[in-house]
């Protein structure tokens, strides 16, 4: 099988090279004064390599490492678990720590700041600097653009999150909508989050009216319809489907049929959950045997010290979250079953990324139900909790904007510390990856520990489909792809990691990874600091005041033993490497949550700025 696959790859690469060369060739016919003395010439129609697989890229939103039972969590995801058991579990895979940077890096195979998404494409979280303007350049072609130019059909459903706010109306411009970035059809939403029953819904290049059903059901229906229509018209033609549900990002909204399946399942609380999951992960080999569970974050209240009313309220939050994730798994199952029933699954390369970042820290200490009528920023913590207790029956319904409290974010991130947005810590960036490809994978159910990052998915896909990275896309010279293909590890569990260096940065928090070592610095104020502030907003803080820490992840994967004082030279070398990576990827100037919350950025021509950018 291995020999046959290598032959396929060689022939596919040759074909791909020919196609790319032919696309740039000038007219090769003859033009005379009449047809009799002229000769027609048509550029060859791009065709995919013989036997090239379909590609299905699934990314779940806001799911931490310790949520799904596929990686030791206590939430049932039987479809995802089945894909893992018949594919590979990558346990050392990473995201950027927040959604838009992760998705831009994933789709382009390049670091987020390098493709202008160090922040977001939203007005309030973008700035007029090359790494921060939220506008992916044409020189950073997406996986959809590359595959389409090599004979694939390309579809996307769910969350996109990379269209600038200014462009997101039916007047466009549309070059930064999904159809402008290589997708032939799109059904979903352009922003970062949406109501699951009343979504800000888009199909192709126009907003459309939702039909009232849950968005997960609608995007799955549409994905199946796109594939079915394509296969009817061109049987066997490969497709690329980007399946990106809004789940399990807030608002957590799901029918009680799903959430009530977890009634009473989490009454023991987040501390017990965390310990159970950690033991599962060790027993199943998803974390190293030498891993230790970090101490409870000082911001988290011990479950046993909560009141009876708080325990009831907080348990309900996580019952809804769990039901939401299980329901999302069910919808993924509908798609997988369709592929299987239509004899498409065996030649489909499936990626499942469980989270575009760690578990969300955005649900406050007390959870979120009605943020508009009960805003955490202006309320006292006591009054906020009182209102949540009154609204407990609304949790998870179509009328609420639910998110769980911070204690459950820590539990769902087991075994790591910190959360979404925290680019300094593994809890923000360390997410599971599943690779399923029956045609190639020999060690079904195997575990892979090689270091990986979302920028690695595009080059992995190109290698496994036999397609070369193009020098030009639509006459635009392409920047180099920065990711490292993971194909080397698919049938070699013991292969050394090839992705050696990776920087991380999200609005102040930052880190640098280099061949097993990691230097990191947390930064305040963060999102939590803006809850319950009343008339006392957090003060600005200099980046120079941040304390850098140093970890050897090979020996300390959960970042417990800070080695900064023991190896100061190593720390300084990594800090220098961070600076080099920041400059090479257009990350500077460093912007933080203080800049965002005080509206210090996105001022055209520098107008109305509130002091110099740090």
């Amino acid at each position: 099988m291995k020999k046959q696959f290598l032959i396929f790859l060689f022939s596919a690469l040759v074909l791909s090279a020919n196609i790319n060369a032919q696309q740039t060739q000038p007219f090769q016919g003859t033009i005379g004064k009449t047809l009799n003395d002229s000769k027609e010439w048509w550029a060859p129609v791009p065709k995919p390599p013989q036997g090239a697989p379909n590609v299905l890229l699934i990314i779940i939103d806001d799911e931490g490492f310790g949520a799904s039972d596929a990686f030791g969590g206590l939430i049932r995801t039987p479809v995802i678990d089945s894909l893992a058991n018949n594919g590979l579990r990558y346990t050392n895979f990473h995201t950027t720590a927040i959604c838009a940077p992760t998705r831009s890096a994933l789709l382009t195979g390049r670091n987020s700041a390098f493709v202008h998404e160090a922040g977001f494409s939203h007005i309030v979280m973008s700035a007029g600097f090359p790494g921060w303007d939220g506008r992916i350049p044409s020189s950073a072609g997406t996986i959809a653009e590359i595959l389409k130019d090599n004979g694939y059909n390309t579809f996307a459903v769910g969350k996109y999150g990379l269209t600038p706010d200014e462009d997101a109306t039916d007047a466009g411009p549309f070059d930064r909508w999904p159809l402008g970035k290589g997708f032939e059809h799109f059904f979903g939403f352009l922003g970062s989050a949406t109501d699951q029953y009343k979504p800000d819904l888009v199909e192709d290049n126009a907003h459309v009216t939702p039909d009232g059903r849950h968005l997960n059901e609608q995007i799955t229906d549409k994905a199946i319809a796109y594939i079915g229509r394509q296969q009817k018209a061109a049987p066997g033609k490969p497709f690329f489907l980007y399946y990106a549900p809004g789940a399990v990002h807030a608002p957590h909204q799901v029918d009680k049929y799903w959430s009530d399946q977890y009634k009473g399942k989490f009454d023991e609380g987040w501390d017990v959950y965390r310990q159970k999951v950690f033991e599962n992960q060790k027993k199943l080999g998803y974390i190293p045997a030498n891993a230790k569970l970090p101490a409870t974050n000082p911001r988290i209240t011990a479950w046993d010290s909560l009141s009876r009313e708080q325990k009831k309220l907080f348990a309900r939050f996580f019952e809804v979250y769990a039901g939401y994730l299980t329901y999302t798994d069910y919808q993924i199952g509908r798609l997988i079953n369709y592929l299987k029933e239509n004899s498409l699954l065996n030649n489909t390369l499936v990626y499942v990324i469980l989270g575009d970042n760690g578990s969300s820290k955005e649900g406050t200490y007390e959870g979120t139900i009605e943020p508009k009528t009960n805003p955490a920023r202006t309320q006292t913590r006591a009054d906020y909790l009182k209102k949540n207790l009154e609204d407990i029956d609304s949790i998870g319904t179509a009328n609420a904007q639910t998110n769980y409290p911070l204690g459950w974010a820590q539990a769902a991130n087991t075994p790591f510390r910190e959360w979404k947005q925290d680019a300094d810590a593994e809890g923000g960036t360390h997410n599971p990856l599943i690779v399923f490809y029956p045609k190639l994978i020999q060690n079904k159910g195997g575990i892979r520990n090689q270091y990986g990052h979302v920028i690695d998915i595009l080059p992995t896909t190109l290698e496994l489909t036999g397609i070369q990275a193009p020098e030009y896309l639509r006459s635009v010279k392409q920047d180099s792809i920065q990711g490292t293909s993971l194909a080397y590890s698919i049938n070699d569990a013991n292969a050394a990691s090839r992705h050696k260096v990776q920087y991380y940065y999200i609005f102040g928090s930052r880190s640098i990874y280099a061949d097993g070592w990691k230097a990191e610095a947390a930064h305040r104020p963060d999102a939590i600091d803006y809850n319950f502030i009343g008339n006392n907003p957090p003060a600005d803080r200099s980046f120079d005041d941040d304390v850098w820490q140093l970890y050897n992840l090979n020996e300390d994967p959960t970042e417990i033993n800070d080695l900064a004082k023991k190896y100061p030279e190593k720390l300084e070398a990594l800090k220098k490497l961070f600076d080099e990576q920041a400059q090479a990827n257009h990350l500077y100037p460093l912007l933080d949550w203080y800049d965002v919350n005080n509206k210090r950025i996105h001022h055209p021509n520098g107008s109305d700025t509130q002091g110099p950018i740090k």
Side-chain angles (χ1 to χ4, degrees):
M1 173 184 285
K2 191 170 184 180
K3 182 178 179 181
Q4 291 175 332
F5 185 74
L6 289 173
I7 293 171
F8 156 72
L9 274 185
F10 177 76
S11 61
L13 286 170
V14 171
L15 176 60
S16 179
N18 289 337
I19 290 173
N20 285 327
Q22 289 165 346
Q23 286 176 330
T24 60
Q25 289 178 359
F27 178 73
Q28 297 178 30
T30 302
I31 300 176
K33 291 186 176 181
T34 68
L35 181 59
N36 289 336
D37 56 3
S38 301
K39 182 180 179 181
E40 290 185 280
W41 182 83
W42 295 89
V45 176
K47 293 182 179 179
Q50 184 68 32
N54 308 306
V55 180
L56 170 57
L57 175 52
I58 300 171
I59 183 166
I60 309 298
D61 207 339
D62 280 12
E63 182 183 343
F65 196 96
S68 164
D69 61 359
F71 284 83
L74 304 184
I75 300 174
R76 298 188 309 277
T77 53
V79 176
I80 292 172
D81 194 45
S82 176
L83 290 170
N85 291 337
N86 290 281
L88 297 172
R89 287 176 170 86
Y90 281 79
T91 61
N92 199 11
F93 189 75
H94 295 77
T95 58
T96 70
I98 206 165
C99 51
T102 289
R103 291 160 196 269
S104 63
L106 174 65
L107 292 176
T108 66
R110 302 165 177 93
N111 287 312
S112 56
F114 191 81
V115 297
H116 300 216
E117 287 281 354
F120 284 73
S121 294
H122 300 310
I123 291 173
V124 297
M125 287 184 279
S126 58
F129 303 102
W132 290 91
D133 62 25
R135 287 151 172 79
I136 297 175
S138 298
S139 58
T142 69
I143 185 172
E145 290 177 290
I146 296 171
L147 294 181
K148 185 178 74 169
D149 279 5
N150 282 273
Y152 276 69
N153 286 124
T154 56
F155 316 122
V157 296
K159 174 175 172 176
Y160 187 61
L162 300 173
T163 301
D165 287 347
E166 299 94 324
D167 297 357
T169 74
D170 284 350
F174 301 104
D175 53 324
R176 293 189 175 93
W177 286 44
L179 269 62
K181 289 296 180 181
F183 293 103
E184 294 171 313
H185 287 293
F186 171 73
F187 183 83
F189 58 101
L190 300 177
S192 295
T194 196
D195 189 287
Q196 294 298 296
Y197 292 101
K198 300 181 288 291
D200 185 15
L201 194 59
V202 164
E203 182 161 18
D204 294 340
N205 280 346
H207 285 81
V208 295
T209 303
D211 63 14
R213 294 179 299 145
H214 198 286
L215 183 57
N216 276 3
E217 181 179 358
Q218 294 185 60
I219 67 169
T220 306
D221 284 353
K222 193 64 70 169
I224 290 171
Y226 287 154
I227 296 169
R229 187 168 61 191
Q230 180 238 19
Q231 289 295 306
K232 183 178 180 180
K237 184 179 181 181
F239 62 83
F240 168 56
L241 171 63
Y242 179 50
Y243 184 95
V248 281
H249 194 292
H252 302 160
Q253 295 170 315
V254 70
D255 191 277
K256 285 188 175 183
Y257 170 82
W258 299 98
S259 58
D260 284 355
Q261 293 178 24
Y262 290 95
K263 275 283 190 180
K265 300 293 185 182
F266 306 117
D267 288 353
E268 292 178 310
W270 46 58
D271 297 321
V272 171
Y273 179 100
R274 193 165 175 248
Q275 190 62 48
K276 284 183 176 180
V277 170
F278 183 72
E279 291 169 0
N280 285 348
Q281 291 168 336
K282 269 200 167 183
K283 180 175 66 177
L284 296 168
Y286 302 152
I287 57 175
N290 64 338
K292 297 178 181 179
L293 186 64
T296 299
N297 190 288
R299 287 169 150 176
I300 305 299
T301 303
W303 186 265
D304 288 344
S305 67
L306 298 173
S307 69
R308 181 177 61 84
E309 291 80 7
Q310 284 177 305
K311 290 179 180 178
K312 180 181 178 182
L313 173 69
F314 296 164
R316 185 55 184 162
F317 274 112
F318 207 62
E319 291 168 4
V320 166
Y321 176 82
Y324 192 20
L325 181 53
T326 298
Y327 169 67
T328 302
D329 179 83
Y330 166 77
Q331 292 296 341
I332 293 172
R334 290 181 55 218
L335 176 59
I336 296 297
N337 287 339
Y338 175 83
L339 297 178
K340 186 175 181 179
E341 291 168 359
N342 288 274
S343 302
L344 295 169
L345 186 61
N346 191 56
N347 193 34
T348 298
L349 168 61
V350 182
Y351 302 101
V352 185
I353 304 173
L354 298 184
D356 54 352
N357 42 247
S359 296
S360 171
K361 66 194 291 183
E362 298 149 349
T364 80
Y365 296 113
E366 319 294 346
T368 300
I369 303 176
E370 296 289 354
K372 290 184 178 179
T373 59
N374 191 30
R377 179 170 292 208
T378 57
Q379 292 277 58
T380 66
R381 189 170 173 181
D383 287 343
Y384 185 86
L385 174 61
K386 180 181 177 182
K387 184 69 166 63
N388 274 0
L389 289 167
E390 293 171 358
D391 293 338
I392 187 172
D393 291 336
S394 296
I395 295 174
T397 67
N399 297 319
Q401 300 293 303
T402 302
N403 199 355
Y404 54 41
L406 194 61
W408 284 120
Q410 177 176 253
N413 258 356
T414 306
F416 304 113
R417 58 177 179 81
E418 305 303 334
W419 308 276
K420 173 184 177 181
Q421 302 182 9
D422 296 326
D424 56 300
E426 293 294 291
T429 64
H430 202 134
N431 289 89
L433 166 70
I434 295 165
V435 177
F436 172 91
Y437 187 15
K439 192 174 179 179
L440 177 62
I441 293 173
Q442 299 168 1
N443 177 216
K444 292 179 171 57
I447 295 173
R448 296 292 182 269
N449 299 316
Q450 288 82 3
Y451 191 91
H453 188 271
V454 284
I455 61 174
D456 299 337
I457 296 298
L458 186 150
T460 304
T461 303
L462 296 186
E463 183 169 349
L464 295 181
T465 56
I467 293 172
Q468 286 185 325
E471 184 179 358
Y472 289 85
L473 278 173
R474 290 193 288 280
S475 301
V476 177
K477 186 173 176 57
Q478 295 297 288
D479 296 320
S480 297
I481 292 171
Q482 296 174 310
T484 301
S485 172
L486 289 166
Y488 71 91
S489 64
I490 286 179
N491 287 320
D492 188 355
N494 297 317
S497 295
R498 296 183 183 177
H499 191 135
K500 299 293 187 180
V501 174
Q502 185 60 50
Y503 86 89
Y504 297 87
Y505 185 88
I506 298 296
F507 289 110
S509 64
R510 57 206 186 275
S511 63
I512 182 73
Y513 167 88
D515 204 14
W517 286 85
K518 183 180 174 189
E520 59 190 56
H523 184 76
R524 305 280 286 273
D526 65 2
I528 299 170
D529 291 321
Y530 284 93
N531 292 327
F532 313 116
I533 59 175
N535 295 317
N536 299 297
D540 192 9
R541 174 171 165 173
S542 171
F543 289 102
D544 294 336
D545 294 336
D546 295 340
V547 177
W548 282 82
Q549 298 175 319
L550 176 68
Y551 297 97
N552 181 348
L553 297 183
N554 293 326
E555 299 177 359
D556 181 21
T558 54
E559 302 173 301
I560 291 176
N561 185 23
D562 179 10
L563 301 174
K565 292 182 179 178
K566 187 174 182 180
Y567 301 114
E569 297 87 358
K570 184 72 173 178
L571 177 60
E572 288 306 312
L574 287 173
K575 289 169 66 176
K576 181 181 177 183
L577 180 59
F578 176 85
D579 178 67
E580 292 169 355
Q581 288 290 302
Q583 293 190 50
N585 287 281
H586 318 306
L587 179 60
Y588 289 135
L590 302 182
L591 308 180
D592 63 10
W593 288 116
Y594 181 89
D595 298 323
V596 172
N597 282 277
N598 288 278
K599 300 180 180 179
R600 300 181 72 235
I601 54 177
H602 206 114
H603 298 283
N605 302 318
S607 63
D608 301 319
T609 55
Q610 299 182 23
I613 298 294
K614 294 188 294 297

